[in-house]
Amino acid sequence: MMVSYAILPAPDSPKYQSEEGVLDVTQIHVSEQPLKLQGEWEFYWQELLSPEDIRLRSATDGNADRWINIPGSWLGYRLEGQRLSGTGYATFRLNIQLGEQDRNERLALRLPTIFHAYKLWVNGELLAQVGTVGQDKSSATPHLATKLVFIPPGNDKLELVMQVANFTHKRGGITKPIELGGSDGLTVRTNVDIAAEMFVTASLLIIGVYHLLLFLLRRKDRAPLYFGLFALLFGIRSLLVGDLMIAQLWPAIPWELQFKLEYLILCSSGYIITMYFDCVFPNYVSRWFRLGTRVVTGTLCLVVVATPALIYSKMLLLIGVIVVLHMVYLMVGLVDAAARRVEGALIFLLASVVVLVTVIDDFLYYNEWSRIGNISPIGLLIFTIAQMMLLFSRFTRTATNEERIARELQDANSRLIEMNTNLEQLVAERTYALSTAHEDLRTSYDRLLQSEQGRKKLLAYITHDLRMPLSSMLGYVEAVRDSVKPERNEQYLKYIRDNTIRINRMIEELSFLSHLETGQVSYRMEQVDAVRFLRRFYEQYELVVRDAGLEFQLDLGEVEEQRPDVPMVVNMDAPRLEQALFNLVSNAIKFTPRGGVVRIALALCEVNHTRYAIMSVQDSGMGIPPDQLEQIFDRNYRYASPEAEAEAEIEGSGLGLAICREIIQAHGGTIRAESDGKTGSIFHVTLPMYPTRRKVTA
């Protein structure tokens, strides 16, 4: 069916041409052997004559003396020393002598597109009209269509009279051959040609839409986009050329729209195929060529859109040259790619050669330099099928690679899962070991850091607190050695002994305090009944206080009266808390004269729904000046009344209250003192209570 695009005579068939407006076909059977009406036709320029007008003129003036070769445009026809332009109007006439075998046959004329309006009379009968023929642009209406005109039988000659007007295109006249033959044969041929064109058109449109949808589903690859546009646009163009199927589908389509669409598709084809080539074979199209083709294509499209057909139709040859240059440039790259054995380059090159030949022929045909006909749809279909094979091979290769990669990934994933299972167990074991080692290291580091801080504090305390007693002892030793006062040597030795004992005790207390402050002292916290704890403490130290000449009292009356059967549970390290309370009692003994009273008591209070046990140690000594109550818990604080200093055998170190505060704060409690400076002092130790019993290790 594709061969019907190029209607070529058989090599040995005779060629019949008309001479001076007469065509003799009496020797052939036209109804069985169609022929193209070629040769000289009578030509009446700038005249619109009917068959009757021509007969009247022939009767008075004789036969016409002007003839023009058909098919062909009157553009450039020499008349009275001047060449005609493409616009104007004229009348054509041809007389055909038929043989006896065709007189009773029903013949037909197959009319191509004629620029741009015409009327056709056969034997004086008006059989066809396309558009409106007029003597100027305002009275003429252009239109494009192909027709099949049937001629009644019974005539031995045919007179064809055709009026043609063109004011919208650069070429006017009968530029394509009119075909004469049997009605049945021409009808079959017309239907075959239309079917072939429909096949090509439908193929291009389906291929174009398919690849555009393919691009929408996978936008990373732009090759289907440009190839789909190329196929879709040329599928539309195939409706606008040949038998003009667009006119049969849409009879009222404006001829200007037909022309603009056709020219716009031609103008953009070079750019689209270049971008498609660049996607399939990257790095073969230079940046300057891409920029140049973009500018040239855009300029041509703007000219087509903005100007009438009379102007842009003159650019047909230029458009053809530009398209051919695009293809030649790409074919040079294809030759290089094929030489490098790039996949698909050879198929692309061979298909491009076919398209190039058909495109060149089409441009020559539409410029009346070729008689083969419109064969570009065949070349485009071949090119499209080749590109489909190329893209299909690309997609197949991609899909194969994806399947292979998927299998490899699945195998790798299976191995990874197996390794991961073992690795998880190994990592868990190593993590546990590392965590244990880290905790051990952290504990060791904390202990080392605390030990270092304690060492530094102890060194600082010793340096600060022992300097004065050591200096004093050094003075006594030198006095004894130098016999300054021999009679007082025994007293000096007693001072030295007492200071040594004091320094030894101070060193112990300094060491303990430094450990408290750096958190190196551990606590074994338990829930203990505060009432029982305080009773046991009282019983343990009652004799110590009484031996010092003081009265020792325990006051639990308020607590026992309020809650006789409910224990006052306090979370404590009993030995440490006992140490703190004993320091308070020792201070009370030290600063209370003989005959005085030391009293310990227990009270209960509640603040913000939290209960507290308050243990207090009260003495009847000289008390503490109120302005010094905030300082007595500092490590460097020392206070001793003259009376107590006179009676005490060993001066205190001043560390007891500081130690008390550290121990009580470790229990979550507080310590404070009250005194008016005259009637003794009282120390309150406040500890939080807990409703349940549980062990806590600090």
Side-chain angles (χ1 to χ4, degrees), residues 28 107 122 153 171 244 311 333 348 441 467 535 555 655 697:
I28 62 172
L107 303 179
V122 178
R171 293 181 295 117
L244 291 177
I311 295 177
F348 203 135
L441 266 171
R467 183 180 292 113
R535 282 186 186 279
D555 184 6
L655 300 174
T697 302

Side-chain angles (χ1 to χ4, degrees), residues 284-488:
Y284 278 93
V285 180
S286 69
R287 182 171 63 90
W288 294 109
F289 188 81
R290 283 197 301 269
L291 179 61
T293 187
R294 193 173 299 153
V295 171
V296 172
T297 300
T299 303
L300 291 176
C301 290
L302 285 176
V303 172
V304 172
V305 171
T307 61
L310 190 60
I311 295 177
Y312 65 74
S313 62
K314 298 178 181 179
M315 298 171 20
L316 182 61
L317 182 59
L318 175 62
I319 295 172
V321 171
I322 292 174
V323 172
V324 170
L325 288 177
H326 274 85
M327 298 192 67
V328 170
Y329 176 85
L330 298 180
M331 288 175 68
V332 171
L334 285 171
V335 170
D336 181 58
R340 297 173 181 269
R341 298 184 181 276
V342 177
E343 184 179 1
L346 184 59
I347 296 177
F348 203 135
L349 178 61
L350 296 176
S352 298
V353 171
V354 174
V355 172
L356 181 61
V357 171
T358 58
V359 167
I360 291 175
D361 177 76
D362 265 18
F363 280 108
L364 295 177
Y365 172 73
Y366 284 109
N367 282 279
E368 302 180 28
W369 297 336
S370 173
R371 298 300 178 187
I372 295 179
N374 178 33
I375 60 172
S376 61
I378 300 176
L380 290 173
L381 184 60
I382 294 173
F383 178 80
T384 302
I385 294 173
Q387 298 311 311
M388 284 184 61
M389 294 173 58
L390 176 60
L391 291 178
F392 178 75
S393 66
R394 281 163 52 93
F395 277 106
T396 302
R397 185 176 68 255
T398 302
T400 303
N401 291 336
E402 288 179 353
E403 292 175 358
R404 178 179 54 80
I405 293 172
R407 287 195 301 270
E408 293 176 355
L409 285 175
Q410 187 174 5
D411 295 340
N413 187 50
S414 301
R415 291 194 297 270
L416 282 174
I417 291 175
E418 183 179 357
M419 292 174 59
N420 188 45
T421 304
N422 299 331
L423 186 61
E424 285 180 357
Q425 182 178 359
L426 181 61
V427 167
E429 294 174 356
R430 296 294 174 86
T431 301
Y432 177 76
L434 285 174
S435 177
T436 304
H438 175 73
E439 290 299 326
D440 294 342
L441 266 171
R442 185 69 184 177
T443 303
S444 301
Y445 174 76
D446 291 341
R447 290 176 180 173
L448 182 61
L449 184 61
Q450 292 171 354
S451 177
E452 178 64 16
Q453 291 176 348
R455 185 187 66 79
K456 290 181 179 179
K457 283 195 173 187
L458 179 60
L459 182 59
Y461 292 163
I462 291 174
T463 303
H464 181 271
D465 294 343
L466 298 184
R467 183 180 292 113
M468 184 178 294
L470 287 174
S471 298
S472 176
M473 290 175 60
L474 181 60
Y476 291 144
V477 170
E478 290 178 351
V480 173
R481 188 189 65 179
D482 296 339
S483 300
V484 176
K485 292 182 179 182
E487 68 278 6
R488 301 188 65 177

